[in-house]
Amino acid sequence: MSSVINIDRVRNTPRLYLAFTTRFSQYVATRQSSPVVARRYNPELFLRVWRDGVYDRTNPSHWDFGYGHESNGQRISDPQGYRLAADAADLRGDPEITARESISRGWDYLSIDWVKEWNTPFLVKLAGRTETQIEYRHYLDHGLFQGDPEEYNVWEGDGAESRPRANYSCLQFALAYTLPDEPFSDWVCFERVELEHTTGYARPFDNNSTSLEVTTQLAGIPLYFWARTGYNSDLVDYYKYTDIWGIGMEFLR
């Protein structure tokens, strides 16, 4: 293994990391009590191995080998529970989507992730930093934490066809460009542009998702603008095609 990935035993010692990503959303003034809804929990344990020298490296790269769990933290897993939740939503005057948001989704997966930085100009006159990433996730039929995966059920009413997650996700390609630390003007400073494409490994390039994100400083406020077209915008509806966009704030340490 060491001869393949060329580990420097002094400076490139493989390291074990634990990462956790989560996502919530809140309905403001549109539902009673403005509820906060859990959308995604994604803990992952992974081993990082550097392919190039850590110190004084020109174009560093690394491999991540991980085991992860992805779910939405919800509870409904059968038609009886869904019907009860839909009836309760109707009594409160809430739309039926309130019940749908409580359908449980979950998977365990193995992952391999390759990231490489290119500390060379992306274009002739732009001396920034380019980063490329390729990630593969293999969703397990029976995971250590999840057990059997929780995917689309026929009783949800979107047809009899099965919709395994592997048809919509698992292969990801990303290209990011970080601009030099030079403000465009006194008010605007563009920092980073990232383009990402995702598809399934069961049906490669049949179900595609593409996103674009631009990070900038606007009058000293760290903002990012993003747009996405495709699947997996929400774990409950991972198999539904959507077009979405948004604006956010990003603080880094």
Side-chain angles (χ1 to χ4, degrees), residues 2-20:
S2 60
S3 61
V4 176
I5 56 179
N6 192 27
I7 300 175
D8 182 320
R9 294 297 180 182
V10 177
R11 296 178 296 180
N12 287 354
T13 303
R15 295 180 180 272
L16 194 63
Y17 293 89
L18 176 63
F20 180 79

PDB file of all heavy atoms in Angstrom, residues 2-20:
ATOM      1  N   SER A   2       1.919   1.267   0.800  1.00  0.00           N
ATOM      2  CA  SER A   2       2.743   2.469   0.886  1.00  0.00           C
ATOM      3  C   SER A   2       3.447   2.759  -0.428  1.00  0.00           C
ATOM      4  O   SER A   2       3.686   3.905  -0.772  1.00  0.00           O
ATOM      5  CB  SER A   2       3.768   2.326   2.014  1.00  0.00           C
ATOM      6  OG  SER A   2       4.615   1.218   1.774  1.00  0.00           O
ATOM      7  N   SER A   3       3.782   1.720  -1.182  1.00  0.00           N
ATOM      8  CA  SER A   3       4.455   1.945  -2.451  1.00  0.00           C
ATOM      9  C   SER A   3       3.503   2.540  -3.488  1.00  0.00           C
ATOM     10  O   SER A   3       3.925   3.227  -4.402  1.00  0.00           O
ATOM     11  CB  SER A   3       5.035   0.626  -2.982  1.00  0.00           C
ATOM     12  OG  SER A   3       3.992  -0.313  -3.208  1.00  0.00           O
ATOM     13  N   VAL A   4       2.204   2.278  -3.321  1.00  0.00           N
ATOM     14  CA  VAL A   4       1.229   2.788  -4.280  1.00  0.00           C
ATOM     15  C   VAL A   4       0.936   4.260  -4.032  1.00  0.00           C
ATOM     16  O   VAL A   4       0.907   5.075  -4.943  1.00  0.00           O
ATOM     17  CB  VAL A   4      -0.075   1.965  -4.204  1.00  0.00           C
ATOM     18  CG1 VAL A   4      -1.128   2.562  -5.127  1.00  0.00           C
ATOM     19  CG2 VAL A   4       0.203   0.519  -4.581  1.00  0.00           C
ATOM     20  N   ILE A   5       0.730   4.631  -2.764  1.00  0.00           N
ATOM     21  CA  ILE A   5       0.358   6.010  -2.467  1.00  0.00           C
ATOM     22  C   ILE A   5       1.524   6.830  -1.921  1.00  0.00           C
ATOM     23  O   ILE A   5       1.365   7.987  -1.587  1.00  0.00           O
ATOM     24  CB  ILE A   5      -0.815   6.044  -1.468  1.00  0.00           C
ATOM     25  CG1 ILE A   5      -0.457   5.278  -0.191  1.00  0.00           C
ATOM     26  CG2 ILE A   5      -2.058   5.473  -2.082  1.00  0.00           C
ATOM     27  CD1 ILE A   5      -1.566   5.290   0.838  1.00  0.00           C
ATOM     28  N   ASN A   6       2.719   6.221  -1.839  1.00  0.00           N
ATOM     29  CA  ASN A   6       3.944   6.964  -1.556  1.00  0.00           C
ATOM     30  C   ASN A   6       3.852   7.758  -0.253  1.00  0.00           C
ATOM     31  O   ASN A   6       4.031   8.974  -0.218  1.00  0.00           O
ATOM     32  CB  ASN A   6       4.265   7.905  -2.725  1.00  0.00           C
ATOM     33  CG  ASN A   6       5.674   8.478  -2.605  1.00  0.00           C
ATOM     34  OD1 ASN A   6       6.542   7.849  -2.015  1.00  0.00           O
ATOM     35  ND2 ASN A   6       5.884   9.657  -3.167  1.00  0.00           N
ATOM     36  N   ILE A   7       3.550   7.074   0.857  1.00  0.00           N
ATOM     37  CA  ILE A   7       3.428   7.737   2.152  1.00  0.00           C
ATOM     38  C   ILE A   7       4.809   8.076   2.701  1.00  0.00           C
ATOM     39  O   ILE A   7       5.687   7.231   2.772  1.00  0.00           O
ATOM     40  CB  ILE A   7       2.695   6.838   3.169  1.00  0.00           C
ATOM     41  CG1 ILE A   7       1.289   6.518   2.669  1.00  0.00           C
ATOM     42  CG2 ILE A   7       2.626   7.504   4.528  1.00  0.00           C
ATOM     43  CD1 ILE A   7       0.556   5.550   3.549  1.00  0.00           C
ATOM     44  N   ASP A   8       5.006   9.330   3.057  1.00  0.00           N
ATOM     45  CA  ASP A   8       6.191   9.744   3.782  1.00  0.00           C
ATOM     46  C   ASP A   8       5.918   9.476   5.261  1.00  0.00           C
ATOM     47  O   ASP A   8       5.060  10.116   5.858  1.00  0.00           O
ATOM     48  CB  ASP A   8       6.453  11.232   3.541  1.00  0.00           C
ATOM     49  CG  ASP A   8       7.720  11.716   4.232  1.00  0.00           C
ATOM     50  OD1 ASP A   8       7.986  11.302   5.374  1.00  0.00           O
ATOM     51  OD2 ASP A   8       8.429  12.512   3.625  1.00  0.00           O
ATOM     52  N   ARG A   9       6.638   8.561   5.865  1.00  0.00           N
ATOM     53  CA  ARG A   9       6.326   8.124   7.223  1.00  0.00           C
ATOM     54  C   ARG A   9       6.531   9.224   8.256  1.00  0.00           C
ATOM     55  O   ARG A   9       5.987   9.166   9.347  1.00  0.00           O
ATOM     56  CB  ARG A   9       7.198   6.911   7.584  1.00  0.00           C
ATOM     57  CG  ARG A   9       6.888   5.679   6.747  1.00  0.00           C
ATOM     58  CD  ARG A   9       5.472   5.202   6.963  1.00  0.00           C
ATOM     59  NE  ARG A   9       5.165   4.026   6.170  1.00  0.00           N
ATOM     60  CZ  ARG A   9       3.983   3.438   6.141  1.00  0.00           C
ATOM     61  NH1 ARG A   9       2.994   3.934   6.848  1.00  0.00           N
ATOM     62  NH2 ARG A   9       3.773   2.375   5.389  1.00  0.00           N
ATOM     63  N   VAL A  10       7.322  10.236   7.937  1.00  0.00           N
ATOM     64  CA  VAL A  10       7.567  11.312   8.896  1.00  0.00           C
ATOM     65  C   VAL A  10       6.533  12.412   8.765  1.00  0.00           C
ATOM     66  O   VAL A  10       5.930  12.856   9.731  1.00  0.00           O
ATOM     67  CB  VAL A  10       8.984  11.886   8.702  1.00  0.00           C
ATOM     68  CG1 VAL A  10       9.215  13.058   9.655  1.00  0.00           C
ATOM     69  CG2 VAL A  10      10.020  10.799   8.935  1.00  0.00           C
ATOM     70  N   ARG A  11       6.298  12.869   7.538  1.00  0.00           N
ATOM     71  CA  ARG A  11       5.438  14.032   7.332  1.00  0.00           C
ATOM     72  C   ARG A  11       4.056  13.678   6.803  1.00  0.00           C
ATOM     73  O   ARG A  11       3.151  14.488   6.866  1.00  0.00           O
ATOM     74  CB  ARG A  11       6.118  15.006   6.370  1.00  0.00           C
ATOM     75  CG  ARG A  11       7.407  15.588   6.924  1.00  0.00           C
ATOM     76  CD  ARG A  11       8.067  16.506   5.920  1.00  0.00           C
ATOM     77  NE  ARG A  11       8.482  15.780   4.722  1.00  0.00           N
ATOM     78  CZ  ARG A  11       9.085  16.348   3.680  1.00  0.00           C
ATOM     79  NH1 ARG A  11       9.310  17.646   3.695  1.00  0.00           N
ATOM     80  NH2 ARG A  11       9.446  15.631   2.643  1.00  0.00           N
ATOM     81  N   ASN A  12       3.873  12.480   6.256  1.00  0.00           N
ATOM     82  CA  ASN A  12       2.600  12.111   5.637  1.00  0.00           C
ATOM     83  C   ASN A  12       1.914  10.976   6.376  1.00  0.00           C
ATOM     84  O   ASN A  12       1.305  10.107   5.767  1.00  0.00           O
ATOM     85  CB  ASN A  12       2.820  11.694   4.180  1.00  0.00           C
ATOM     86  CG  ASN A  12       3.112  12.883   3.302  1.00  0.00           C
ATOM     87  OD1 ASN A  12       3.042  14.012   3.764  1.00  0.00           O
ATOM     88  ND2 ASN A  12       3.439  12.639   2.056  1.00  0.00           N
ATOM     89  N   THR A  13       2.010  10.952   7.679  1.00  0.00           N
ATOM     90  CA  THR A  13       1.367   9.906   8.458  1.00  0.00           C
ATOM     91  C   THR A  13      -0.147   9.972   8.274  1.00  0.00           C
ATOM     92  O   THR A  13      -0.750  11.028   8.460  1.00  0.00           O
ATOM     93  CB  THR A  13       1.693  10.075   9.949  1.00  0.00           C
ATOM     94  OG1 THR A  13       3.108  10.070  10.115  1.00  0.00           O
ATOM     95  CG2 THR A  13       1.075   8.949  10.767  1.00  0.00           C
ATOM     96  N   PRO A  14      -0.794   8.866   7.880  1.00  0.00           N
ATOM     97  CA  PRO A  14      -2.260   8.881   7.739  1.00  0.00           C
ATOM     98  C   PRO A  14      -2.927   9.278   9.054  1.00  0.00           C
ATOM     99  O   PRO A  14      -2.491   8.876  10.135  1.00  0.00           O
ATOM    100  CB  PRO A  14      -2.585   7.434   7.359  1.00  0.00           C
ATOM    101  CG  PRO A  14      -1.333   6.907   6.744  1.00  0.00           C
ATOM    102  CD  PRO A  14      -0.217   7.567   7.491  1.00  0.00           C
ATOM    103  N   ARG A  15      -3.989  10.053   8.962  1.00  0.00           N
ATOM    104  CA  ARG A  15      -4.689  10.534  10.152  1.00  0.00           C
ATOM    105  C   ARG A  15      -6.165  10.165  10.072  1.00  0.00           C
ATOM    106  O   ARG A  15      -6.758  10.185   9.003  1.00  0.00           O
ATOM    107  CB  ARG A  15      -4.527  12.048  10.299  1.00  0.00           C
ATOM    108  CG  ARG A  15      -3.097  12.490  10.554  1.00  0.00           C
ATOM    109  CD  ARG A  15      -3.014  14.001  10.683  1.00  0.00           C
ATOM    110  NE  ARG A  15      -1.650  14.440  10.926  1.00  0.00           N
ATOM    111  CZ  ARG A  15      -1.100  14.548  12.130  1.00  0.00           C
ATOM    112  NH1 ARG A  15      -1.816  14.254  13.201  1.00  0.00           N
ATOM    113  NH2 ARG A  15       0.148  14.954  12.272  1.00  0.00           N
ATOM    114  N   LEU A  16      -6.738   9.870  11.241  1.00  0.00           N
ATOM    115  CA  LEU A  16      -8.143   9.505  11.340  1.00  0.00           C
ATOM    116  C   LEU A  16      -8.951  10.728  11.759  1.00  0.00           C
ATOM    117  O   LEU A  16      -8.592  11.425  12.713  1.00  0.00           O
ATOM    118  CB  LEU A  16      -8.317   8.377  12.362  1.00  0.00           C
ATOM    119  CG  LEU A  16      -9.659   7.638  12.365  1.00  0.00           C
ATOM    120  CD1 LEU A  16      -9.877   6.911  11.043  1.00  0.00           C
ATOM    121  CD2 LEU A  16      -9.709   6.648  13.530  1.00  0.00           C
ATOM    122  N   TYR A  17     -10.054  10.993  11.041  1.00  0.00           N
ATOM    123  CA  TYR A  17     -10.890  12.162  11.314  1.00  0.00           C
ATOM    124  C   TYR A  17     -12.345  11.732  11.505  1.00  0.00           C
ATOM    125  O   TYR A  17     -12.790  10.730  10.939  1.00  0.00           O
ATOM    126  CB  TYR A  17     -10.838  13.157  10.152  1.00  0.00           C
ATOM    127  CG  TYR A  17      -9.501  13.825   9.957  1.00  0.00           C
ATOM    128  CD1 TYR A  17      -8.529  13.245   9.148  1.00  0.00           C
ATOM    129  CD2 TYR A  17      -9.218  15.047  10.560  1.00  0.00           C
ATOM    130  CE1 TYR A  17      -7.303  13.863   8.951  1.00  0.00           C
ATOM    131  CE2 TYR A  17      -7.997  15.673  10.365  1.00  0.00           C
ATOM    132  CZ  TYR A  17      -7.044  15.072   9.561  1.00  0.00           C
ATOM    133  OH  TYR A  17      -5.830  15.681   9.363  1.00  0.00           O
ATOM    134  N   LEU A  18     -13.070  12.530  12.284  1.00  0.00           N
ATOM    135  CA  LEU A  18     -14.513  12.383  12.427  1.00  0.00           C
ATOM    136  C   LEU A  18     -15.155  13.688  11.984  1.00  0.00           C
ATOM    137  O   LEU A  18     -14.853  14.758  12.527  1.00  0.00           O
ATOM    138  CB  LEU A  18     -14.904  12.072  13.874  1.00  0.00           C
ATOM    139  CG  LEU A  18     -16.414  11.987  14.158  1.00  0.00           C
ATOM    140  CD1 LEU A  18     -17.034  10.833  13.371  1.00  0.00           C
ATOM    141  CD2 LEU A  18     -16.675  11.824  15.651  1.00  0.00           C
ATOM    142  N   ALA A  19     -16.024  13.623  10.978  1.00  0.00           N
ATOM    143  CA  ALA A  19     -16.701  14.811  10.461  1.00  0.00           C
ATOM    144  C   ALA A  19     -18.203  14.665  10.664  1.00  0.00           C
ATOM    145  O   ALA A  19     -18.740  13.547  10.679  1.00  0.00           O
ATOM    146  CB  ALA A  19     -16.386  14.998   8.978  1.00  0.00           C
ATOM    147  N   PHE A  20     -18.875  15.800  10.816  1.00  0.00           N
ATOM    148  CA  PHE A  20     -20.329  15.781  10.982  1.00  0.00           C
ATOM    149  C   PHE A  20     -20.939  16.971  10.261  1.00  0.00           C
ATOM    150  O   PHE A  20     -20.547  18.112  10.486  1.00  0.00           O
ATOM    151  CB  PHE A  20     -20.709  15.818  12.463  1.00  0.00           C
ATOM    152  CG  PHE A  20     -22.193  15.793  12.712  1.00  0.00           C
ATOM    153  CD1 PHE A  20     -22.896  14.603  12.636  1.00  0.00           C
ATOM    154  CD2 PHE A  20     -22.884  16.957  12.999  1.00  0.00           C
ATOM    155  CE1 PHE A  20     -24.260  14.568  12.854  1.00  0.00           C
ATOM    156  CE2 PHE A  20     -24.251  16.933  13.222  1.00  0.00           C
ATOM    157  CZ  PHE A  20     -24.946  15.737  13.143  1.00  0.00           C
TER     158      PHE A  20
END
